[in-house]
Amino acid sequence: MEFKDPASYTDLTQGQIKHIDFRIGVNFSTRTLDVEARYEMQEPVRGSLHLDSLKIDLKEAQANGRKLEWEFDAQDEILGERLHLKGLEGDSTFTLVFCTSPEARALQWLNGSQTAGGNYPFLYSQCQAIHARSIFPCQDTPSVRFTYSADVEVPQGLVAVMAAEQVGVQEGDALSVSKRSGQNVFSFKMPQPIPSYLFALAAGNLVFREFGPRTGIYAEPETIEAAAWEFAENELKMVEAEKLLGPYLWGRYDLVVLPPSFPYGGMENPRLTFLTPTAILGTRAYTSLITHELAHAWTGNLVTNATWQDFWLNEGWTTYAETRITEVLEGREVIDLHGVYNEKRLMAVMEQIGIDSPRTCLKLPGDEKDADSFTTIIPYYKGGFFLQECEYAVGRERFDAFIQKYMASFQFQSLTTEAFLDFLKAELPEVFKKVDVHKWIYEPGLPEERHRPKSRLFDDIQKVLNDYQQGIRPTKEQVVGWHRYQILSFLQGLPRQIPVQDCQYFDDLLELEKRNDVAFFYYFYLVCIASGYEGILPRIERFLEKNGRILYVRPIVHAMIETEWSRGYVRPLFERIRDRHHQITVNAIERLLQKAGL
Ligand code: BES
Ligand code: ZN
């Protein structure tokens, strides 16, 4: 069957990339990467090869000593330009020399002032979903995997890291990629085949701290202490993850702490999770984020969704695995609480999008090519609940055996939802008798017939919320010792509009400023905006200036646009802060503003 990924110009009948050797010069003054890339194909290629690219300045293309002709022959605002390499004569290798654009969509270039230390510039990439093409021409679809090596040259004093194995460092005046002195060259290899969206690079004033034999963390010297304490339990997490999912096949598992403009909580780049610094709370209360990114080492990185329409295979499976590992580490009560909270969140988002919208299906409609625009929490939680339902249908023991077999059978492969369902049917046919699989996958909303999460810890919060509806505000004694997810559940459950004095009261009661948890701020600011608490504006502005996490930034901006008193502030604020954010965040906000005619 002909396979097509709507988010890519890849034509698999032309051949597949097998390996790339990169030489990358990181140039902070021009905000560009100067790259030479030698591509190796699975099979010799004749005639044309189409690659995805976005704002790549191609300078030279050659194969086996012959210059190649090329053309950028199809253009699209989202997909970018289709690079058409011509005149391949059964070549298995070719080399491209090019430069990325200062507007490369995957990259954020930061001034020292945007980092924790304040002095050194910082660069990081975010390739998921379809931004790798702005770093190098490639078959930018998760259905193609390749291995790579890279020599990365950065100014002296900076450290380069990649989602790969570090194999060497040449400091200072040593022989360098461009033979320039005063540069450091870091060498990497990625021996396991990855899809393009898992290519990742960062450079900055980074230091390393080890946790255990396989785990450690990179961060700026100013944050390393706190970061190392927060995530010190990672080695233990790996042991639990391996019990559930099988052996870890990537070698090391390290973290790198990025500046707060990073658009995600975490990104599961292989061997090296990219992490928001806002997860460092000083309490270890949000390390489920790491559990999530670590689980992706299997569900996503090892077994990968074939297209972004099958995104739930990555995120739904990861949410399920995260829950299972958290159950071992934190106990049943905690995951029951997560369950109720997640279900409420899921329902709220579905209602917002429209409960009958095809965007609430697990398998997403194929006509959308902007893979970033449909990243909602739906594939996470609906996908996680679906897999839980499958577990209940056959019992944990059999489902656990199925998980291990699934990982082993599809390791280093990409698969569609349909291929997954075929596997499920062959291995666990009873699931289809007890669970309406078709409804879960292909129909919008949530099936009526399902196990509903229940939680005593959540019920306690519901009582407090009910009292508040009757005019009784919770007291300090009541909220002391609340679990982080209880606070989240409380804030999520508040009526959208409350008296301004109550906004101030809850701010003090829950010590929101002191706790400095962006997820708390997120719910709190939504209530403040809707409640007309105008005094909160400077704090929201400071929040948006610094934090780039799409999951929170987008709804806050949306709420400001929807509300009369705050609407006029949004465009000027955005213009003031846009340079401080990654393009993914900028594009998301720009889309909201344009939709609102602002
Ligand atoms: N892979 C995702 C991040 C992502 C999704 C990047 C879609 C680009 C497109 C990552 O694993 C993730 O899900 N991060 C979440 C946190 C998680 C704990 C729910 C996030 O960033 O909010
Ligand atoms: Zn994820």
Side-chain angles (χ1 to χ4, degrees), residues 362-378:
L362 282 180
K363 174 87 182 190
L364 290 162
D367 50 2
E368 177 63 86
K369 57 193 177 183
D370 185 359
D372 276 344
S373 79
F374 55 62
T375 41
T376 69
I377 59 149
I378 295 170

PDB file of all heavy atoms in Angstrom, residues 362-378:
ATOM      1  N   LEU A 362      -8.907   9.667  18.448  1.00  0.00           N
ATOM      2  CA  LEU A 362      -7.507   9.305  18.656  1.00  0.00           C
ATOM      3  C   LEU A 362      -6.761   9.328  17.323  1.00  0.00           C
ATOM      4  O   LEU A 362      -5.718   9.948  17.187  1.00  0.00           O
ATOM      5  CB  LEU A 362      -7.399   7.946  19.339  1.00  0.00           C
ATOM      6  CG  LEU A 362      -7.678   7.968  20.856  1.00  0.00           C
ATOM      7  CD1 LEU A 362      -7.541   6.574  21.448  1.00  0.00           C
ATOM      8  CD2 LEU A 362      -6.751   8.943  21.585  1.00  0.00           C
ATOM      9  N   LYS A 363      -7.311   8.670  16.316  1.00  0.00           N
ATOM     10  CA  LYS A 363      -6.710   8.779  14.983  1.00  0.00           C
ATOM     11  C   LYS A 363      -7.182  10.112  14.396  1.00  0.00           C
ATOM     12  O   LYS A 363      -8.369  10.347  14.223  1.00  0.00           O
ATOM     13  CB  LYS A 363      -7.172   7.628  14.105  1.00  0.00           C
ATOM     14  CG  LYS A 363      -6.720   7.725  12.658  1.00  0.00           C
ATOM     15  CD  LYS A 363      -5.364   7.108  12.449  1.00  0.00           C
ATOM     16  CE  LYS A 363      -4.891   7.264  11.002  1.00  0.00           C
ATOM     17  NZ  LYS A 363      -3.694   6.463  10.735  1.00  0.00           N
ATOM     18  N   LEU A 364      -6.231  10.977  14.094  1.00  0.00           N
ATOM     19  CA  LEU A 364      -6.620  12.325  13.656  1.00  0.00           C
ATOM     20  C   LEU A 364      -6.853  12.367  12.155  1.00  0.00           C
ATOM     21  O   LEU A 364      -6.258  11.595  11.398  1.00  0.00           O
ATOM     22  CB  LEU A 364      -5.525  13.321  14.062  1.00  0.00           C
ATOM     23  CG  LEU A 364      -5.458  13.541  15.571  1.00  0.00           C
ATOM     24  CD1 LEU A 364      -4.136  14.168  15.988  1.00  0.00           C
ATOM     25  CD2 LEU A 364      -6.625  14.379  16.063  1.00  0.00           C
ATOM     26  N   PRO A 365      -7.737  13.261  11.721  1.00  0.00           N
ATOM     27  CA  PRO A 365      -8.043  13.350  10.291  1.00  0.00           C
ATOM     28  C   PRO A 365      -6.806  13.723   9.473  1.00  0.00           C
ATOM     29  O   PRO A 365      -5.949  14.474   9.922  1.00  0.00           O
ATOM     30  CB  PRO A 365      -9.107  14.443  10.213  1.00  0.00           C
ATOM     31  CG  PRO A 365      -9.088  15.141  11.527  1.00  0.00           C
ATOM     32  CD  PRO A 365      -8.497  14.214  12.529  1.00  0.00           C
ATOM     33  N   GLY A 366      -6.712  13.175   8.267  1.00  0.00           N
ATOM     34  CA  GLY A 366      -5.506  13.292   7.464  1.00  0.00           C
ATOM     35  C   GLY A 366      -5.342  14.586   6.700  1.00  0.00           C
ATOM     36  O   GLY A 366      -4.336  14.786   6.041  1.00  0.00           O
ATOM     37  N   ASP A 367      -6.307  15.484   6.780  1.00  0.00           N
ATOM     38  CA  ASP A 367      -6.217  16.676   5.942  1.00  0.00           C
ATOM     39  C   ASP A 367      -5.424  17.807   6.603  1.00  0.00           C
ATOM     40  O   ASP A 367      -5.215  18.852   6.019  1.00  0.00           O
ATOM     41  CB  ASP A 367      -7.616  17.172   5.559  1.00  0.00           C
ATOM     42  CG  ASP A 367      -8.517  17.294   6.778  1.00  0.00           C
ATOM     43  OD1 ASP A 367      -8.029  17.021   7.904  1.00  0.00           O
ATOM     44  OD2 ASP A 367      -9.685  17.664   6.631  1.00  0.00           O
ATOM     45  N   GLU A 368      -4.975  17.585   7.827  1.00  0.00           N
ATOM     46  CA  GLU A 368      -4.254  18.647   8.542  1.00  0.00           C
ATOM     47  C   GLU A 368      -2.754  18.407   8.434  1.00  0.00           C
ATOM     48  O   GLU A 368      -2.253  17.372   8.820  1.00  0.00           O
ATOM     49  CB  GLU A 368      -4.699  18.641  10.011  1.00  0.00           C
ATOM     50  CG  GLU A 368      -4.002  19.614  10.908  1.00  0.00           C
ATOM     51  CD  GLU A 368      -4.225  21.068  10.526  1.00  0.00           C
ATOM     52  OE1 GLU A 368      -5.244  21.637  10.966  1.00  0.00           O
ATOM     53  OE2 GLU A 368      -3.376  21.619   9.792  1.00  0.00           O
ATOM     54  N   LYS A 369      -2.032  19.363   7.880  1.00  0.00           N
ATOM     55  CA  LYS A 369      -0.595  19.150   7.757  1.00  0.00           C
ATOM     56  C   LYS A 369       0.203  19.913   8.813  1.00  0.00           C
ATOM     57  O   LYS A 369       1.378  19.665   9.010  1.00  0.00           O
ATOM     58  CB  LYS A 369      -0.120  19.537   6.355  1.00  0.00           C
ATOM     59  CG  LYS A 369      -0.448  20.947   5.984  1.00  0.00           C
ATOM     60  CD  LYS A 369      -0.245  21.191   4.507  1.00  0.00           C
ATOM     61  CE  LYS A 369      -0.687  22.625   4.220  1.00  0.00           C
ATOM     62  NZ  LYS A 369      -0.622  22.986   2.837  1.00  0.00           N
ATOM     63  N   ASP A 370      -0.453  20.850   9.511  1.00  0.00           N
ATOM     64  CA  ASP A 370       0.265  21.581  10.547  1.00  0.00           C
ATOM     65  C   ASP A 370       0.263  20.761  11.834  1.00  0.00           C
ATOM     66  O   ASP A 370      -0.599  20.904  12.693  1.00  0.00           O
ATOM     67  CB  ASP A 370      -0.385  22.945  10.785  1.00  0.00           C
ATOM     68  CG  ASP A 370       0.417  23.765  11.783  1.00  0.00           C
ATOM     69  OD1 ASP A 370       1.442  23.254  12.291  1.00  0.00           O
ATOM     70  OD2 ASP A 370       0.026  24.901  12.070  1.00  0.00           O
ATOM     71  N   ALA A 371       1.251  19.893  11.923  1.00  0.00           N
ATOM     72  CA  ALA A 371       1.264  18.915  13.012  1.00  0.00           C
ATOM     73  C   ALA A 371       1.298  19.570  14.395  1.00  0.00           C
ATOM     74  O   ALA A 371       0.848  18.988  15.372  1.00  0.00           O
ATOM     75  CB  ALA A 371       2.442  17.964  12.839  1.00  0.00           C
ATOM     76  N   ASP A 372       1.818  20.792  14.499  1.00  0.00           N
ATOM     77  CA  ASP A 372       1.851  21.443  15.809  1.00  0.00           C
ATOM     78  C   ASP A 372       0.477  21.935  16.248  1.00  0.00           C
ATOM     79  O   ASP A 372       0.190  21.996  17.433  1.00  0.00           O
ATOM     80  CB  ASP A 372       2.796  22.659  15.787  1.00  0.00           C
ATOM     81  CG  ASP A 372       4.232  22.236  16.016  1.00  0.00           C
ATOM     82  OD1 ASP A 372       4.447  21.105  16.476  1.00  0.00           O
ATOM     83  OD2 ASP A 372       5.134  23.046  15.729  1.00  0.00           O
ATOM     84  N   SER A 373      -0.359  22.282  15.254  1.00  0.00           N
ATOM     85  CA  SER A 373      -1.633  22.913  15.616  1.00  0.00           C
ATOM     86  C   SER A 373      -2.579  21.913  16.257  1.00  0.00           C
ATOM     87  O   SER A 373      -3.504  22.281  16.948  1.00  0.00           O
ATOM     88  CB  SER A 373      -2.279  23.558  14.403  1.00  0.00           C
ATOM     89  OG  SER A 373      -2.913  22.568  13.639  1.00  0.00           O
ATOM     90  N   PHE A 374      -2.392  20.610  16.006  1.00  0.00           N
ATOM     91  CA  PHE A 374      -3.312  19.683  16.669  1.00  0.00           C
ATOM     92  C   PHE A 374      -2.701  18.951  17.854  1.00  0.00           C
ATOM     93  O   PHE A 374      -3.179  17.916  18.268  1.00  0.00           O
ATOM     94  CB  PHE A 374      -4.002  18.728  15.694  1.00  0.00           C
ATOM     95  CG  PHE A 374      -3.118  17.908  14.812  1.00  0.00           C
ATOM     96  CD1 PHE A 374      -2.212  16.994  15.328  1.00  0.00           C
ATOM     97  CD2 PHE A 374      -3.224  18.031  13.440  1.00  0.00           C
ATOM     98  CE1 PHE A 374      -1.427  16.223  14.501  1.00  0.00           C
ATOM     99  CE2 PHE A 374      -2.440  17.260  12.601  1.00  0.00           C
ATOM    100  CZ  PHE A 374      -1.530  16.353  13.122  1.00  0.00           C
ATOM    101  N   THR A 375      -1.634  19.505  18.393  1.00  0.00           N
ATOM    102  CA  THR A 375      -1.160  18.888  19.619  1.00  0.00           C
ATOM    103  C   THR A 375      -1.971  19.419  20.797  1.00  0.00           C
ATOM    104  O   THR A 375      -1.746  20.512  21.288  1.00  0.00           O
ATOM    105  CB  THR A 375       0.328  19.165  19.890  1.00  0.00           C
ATOM    106  OG1 THR A 375       0.594  20.511  19.570  1.00  0.00           O
ATOM    107  CG2 THR A 375       1.210  18.273  19.084  1.00  0.00           C
ATOM    108  N   THR A 376      -2.956  18.631  21.194  1.00  0.00           N
ATOM    109  CA  THR A 376      -3.717  18.937  22.400  1.00  0.00           C
ATOM    110  C   THR A 376      -3.428  17.810  23.386  1.00  0.00           C
ATOM    111  O   THR A 376      -2.703  16.872  23.059  1.00  0.00           O
ATOM    112  CB  THR A 376      -5.224  18.955  22.125  1.00  0.00           C
ATOM    113  OG1 THR A 376      -5.632  17.606  21.840  1.00  0.00           O
ATOM    114  CG2 THR A 376      -5.553  19.852  20.939  1.00  0.00           C
ATOM    115  N   ILE A 377      -4.038  17.908  24.562  1.00  0.00           N
ATOM    116  CA  ILE A 377      -3.832  16.840  25.538  1.00  0.00           C
ATOM    117  C   ILE A 377      -4.707  15.620  25.244  1.00  0.00           C
ATOM    118  O   ILE A 377      -4.586  14.598  25.920  1.00  0.00           O
ATOM    119  CB  ILE A 377      -4.128  17.343  26.959  1.00  0.00           C
ATOM    120  CG1 ILE A 377      -5.556  17.847  27.035  1.00  0.00           C
ATOM    121  CG2 ILE A 377      -3.145  18.416  27.389  1.00  0.00           C
ATOM    122  CD1 ILE A 377      -6.140  17.657  28.395  1.00  0.00           C
ATOM    123  N   ILE A 378      -5.569  15.715  24.225  1.00  0.00           N
ATOM    124  CA  ILE A 378      -6.512  14.615  23.973  1.00  0.00           C
ATOM    125  C   ILE A 378      -5.810  13.281  23.680  1.00  0.00           C
ATOM    126  O   ILE A 378      -6.118  12.269  24.313  1.00  0.00           O
ATOM    127  CB  ILE A 378      -7.525  14.998  22.871  1.00  0.00           C
ATOM    128  CG1 ILE A 378      -8.392  16.143  23.382  1.00  0.00           C
ATOM    129  CG2 ILE A 378      -8.392  13.793  22.473  1.00  0.00           C
ATOM    130  CD1 ILE A 378      -9.277  16.780  22.345  1.00  0.00           C
TER     131      ILE A 378
END
